[in-house]
């Protein structure tokens, strides 16, 4: 008989193992068996909890998005004024909890999966919509109607930095990534 309360612990272990394995391999070419082994359990138990590799990966992305959302909310709560809010969003997007090798690898694969899996496309749409609305809300008092366009550019830049980071070696530098995006923002604001 399973121990009461073990399911959430095992699911969390599988989610963490999924992120680690995808980051290690660099693609979705990992098996449920590899994920389960890293989590210290059988692949049958992983299938029992999630049903498929895609569902395990979606759970991992929900976890990543939840942590990212908390990072953004915390940064916004501490920001004072529109400019500080935009900067907080950018810096939180490259915080150490989100901008690390295995999470960056998961993001890249999330974009790939969204092309074929409607639930992944839905999650990606939620992320993009929230990022866009947070940026527009912060930018509108600063630049009015140009906020929509600049928010799209900043969102694309943030996502693009993640995608480019996949191709680099070494430890990701979140501070440098944020500085690059903020430099783009400053140049766009100067031109406004």
């Amino acid at each position: 008989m399973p121990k009461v309360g073990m399911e959430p612990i095992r699911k969390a272990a599988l989610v963490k193992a999924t992120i680690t394995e995808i980051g290690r391999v660099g693609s979705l070419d990992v098996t449920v068996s590899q994920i389960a082994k890293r989590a210290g359990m059988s692949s049958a138990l992983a299938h029992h909890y999630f049903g498929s590799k895609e569902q395990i990966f979606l759970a991992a992305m929900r976890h990543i998005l939840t942590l990212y959302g908390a990072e953004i909310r915390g940064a916004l709560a501490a920001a004072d004024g529109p400019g500080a809010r935009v900067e907080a969003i950018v810096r939180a997007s490259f915080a150490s909890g989100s901008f690390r090798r295995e999470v960056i690898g998961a993001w890249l694969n999330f974009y790939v999966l969204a092309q074929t899996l409607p639930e992944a496309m839905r999650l990606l749409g939620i992320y993009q919509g929230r990022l866009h609305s947070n940026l527009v809300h912060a930018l509108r008092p600063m630049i009015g109607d140009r906020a929509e366009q600049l928010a799209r550019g900043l969102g694309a830049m943030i996502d693009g930095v993640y995608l480019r980071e996949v191709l680099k070696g070494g430890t990701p530098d979140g501070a440098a990534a944020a500085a690059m995006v903020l430099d783009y923002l400053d140049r766009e604001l100067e031109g406004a």
Side-chain angles (χ1 to χ4, degrees):
M1 181 127 195
K3 293 180 184 175
V4 176
M6 287 304 292
E7 181 175 347
I9 294 167
R10 288 179 178 153
K11 281 184 170 182
L14 286 164
V15 163
K16 183 178 177 186
T18 300
I19 295 167
T20 301
E21 281 299 301
I22 289 172
R24 184 184 66 77
V25 172
S27 74
L28 291 174
D29 292 337
V30 296
T31 64
V32 173
S33 179
Q34 289 170 301
I35 293 167
K37 182 177 179 182
R38 176 157 306 265
M41 62 190 81
S42 71
S43 59
L45 197 54
H47 279 289
H48 169 74
Y49 287 134
F50 291 102
S52 68
K53 181 173 80 170
E54 287 79 16
Q55 291 304 312
I56 295 171
F57 185 64
L58 286 170
M61 283 312 301
R62 280 189 211 96
H63 175 73
I64 288 169
L65 287 166
T66 298
L67 295 177
Y68 173 75
E71 188 80 40
I72 295 290
R73 285 188 301 279
L76 287 174
D80 186 26
R85 288 179 67 81
V86 176
E87 184 174 340
I89 293 165
V90 171
R91 290 196 187 284
S93 294
F94 299 104
S96 60
S98 297
F99 201 63
R100 56 184 212 273
R101 182 72 40 218
E102 61 272 10
V103 175
I104 293 167
W107 271 105
L108 174 66
N109 287 287
F110 183 46
Y111 272 85
V112 171
L113 190 62
Q115 295 178 38
T116 58
L117 192 64
E119 192 171 351
M121 178 59 85
R122 185 185 69 75
L123 279 176
L124 183 58
I126 290 169
Y127 153 72
Q128 289 175 331
R130 285 183 182 160
L131 176 62
H132 183 75
S133 67
N134 281 330
L135 288 168
V136 168
H137 179 75
L139 289 165
R140 188 161 281 131
M142 298 166 62
I143 58 173
D145 291 341
R146 281 199 58 230
E148 289 280 339
Q149 177 185 356
L150 184 50
R152 278 192 299 277
L154 284 171
M157 185 118 180
I158 290 167
D159 290 350
V161 170
Y162 269 77
L163 295 175
R164 285 185 172 204
E165 189 64 38
V166 168
L167 303 174
K168 293 164 100 181
T171 303
D173 185 349
M180 181 173 46
V181 175
L182 290 171
D183 182 58
Y184 164 78
L185 170 64
D186 288 343
R187 281 185 275 122
E188 287 294 314
L189 291 175
E190 285 172 10

